[in-house]
Amino acid sequence: MDSFIIRQASREDAGTVFRFIQGIAEYEHMSDQIEGDASDLERTMFDLGQAQAILGEENGVPVGFALYFYNYSTFKVKRGLYLEDLFVLPEYRGKGYGKKLLLYLAKLAHQQGCGRMEWCCLDWNTPSIGFYKSLGAVPMSEWTTYRLNGEQLAFYGK
């Protein structure tokens, strides 16, 4: 029987987490948008505390991850947990590991008094959308995400 555990990522896992980020970027057809490297990730996660990650391991081998950070809801007057990335290696999918990672974070959010847990999903990713809905997640269809990227930020930052 396979042994699956979830643990908090440590500084020593920065390279593994970065490889998972590359994996999700490839899956989402966004590999060309990756900036930085594992050392940048290590600095922002562990020196600056900007994000955290959990790893899912089967028999001691990392097979998936979830990267998250905390945001704040003015309406709930509480912090929330924002799931930035959830990814399981293709050869380990179908074993329920993604669900275990997501529910681990939902439990963590509840235990820490978060008012909500949120994430985004690409419109074309129907397998993930179906998975999220099966857990009771509700799409926020009345909201549109807006973004200012590096060029715009640099322009306004002058």
Side-chain angles (χ1 to χ4, degrees):
M1 179 174 198
D2 291 331
S3 171
F4 182 77
I5 65 156
I6 296 173
R7 66 174 178 83
Q8 196 70 32
S10 66
R11 180 179 294 276
E12 294 75 27
D13 296 312
T16 299
V17 172
F18 192 75
R19 284 189 295 279
F20 282 132
I21 290 168
Q22 291 171 313
I24 196 170
E26 183 178 329
Y27 175 78
E28 293 178 344
H29 313 292
M30 297 179 167
S31 294
D32 61 324
Q33 295 183 33
I34 291 182
E35 299 177 13
D37 57 26
S39 64
D40 295 320
L41 181 70
E42 180 181 348
R43 183 180 61 78
T44 56
M45 283 183 63
F46 299 104
D47 295 337
L48 301 177
Q50 294 176 340
Q52 298 178 49
I54 55 173
L55 293 174
E57 295 181 341
E58 182 184 274
N59 298 320
V61 176
V63 299
F65 90 119
L67 190 137
Y68 64 99
F69 56 88
Y70 294 96
N71 57 17
Y72 189 80
S73 168
T74 55
F75 289 5
K76 293 196 174 286
V77 194
K78 294 181 178 183
R79 73 180 181 164
L81 189 148
Y82 187 84
L83 172 62
E84 178 68 21
D85 287 329
L86 174 67
F87 180 75
V88 175
L89 292 170
E91 60 269 29
Y92 293 93
R93 293 182 189 152
K95 295 184 172 191
Y97 295 164
K99 182 177 183 178
K100 288 180 181 184
L101 289 164
L102 187 76
L103 295 181
Y104 180 96
L105 289 181
K107 182 178 179 179
L108 178 68
H110 177 73
Q111 289 173 341
Q112 295 190 0
C114 293
R116 63 186 176 206
M117 178 175 159
E118 296 178 310
W119 60 94
C120 293
C121 183
L122 292 165
D123 291 340
W124 59 259
N125 193 346
T126 54
S128 293
I129 292 168
F131 164 62
Y132 299 142
K133 286 182 177 180
S134 77
L135 298 175
V138 179
M140 303 296 293
S141 56
E142 69 273 14
W143 291 86
T144 300
T145 302
Y146 290 89
R147 177 179 294 162
L148 291 174
N149 279 318
E151 288 180 22
Q152 295 94 353
L153 291 177
F155 176 79
Y156 293 115
K158 292 180 184 176

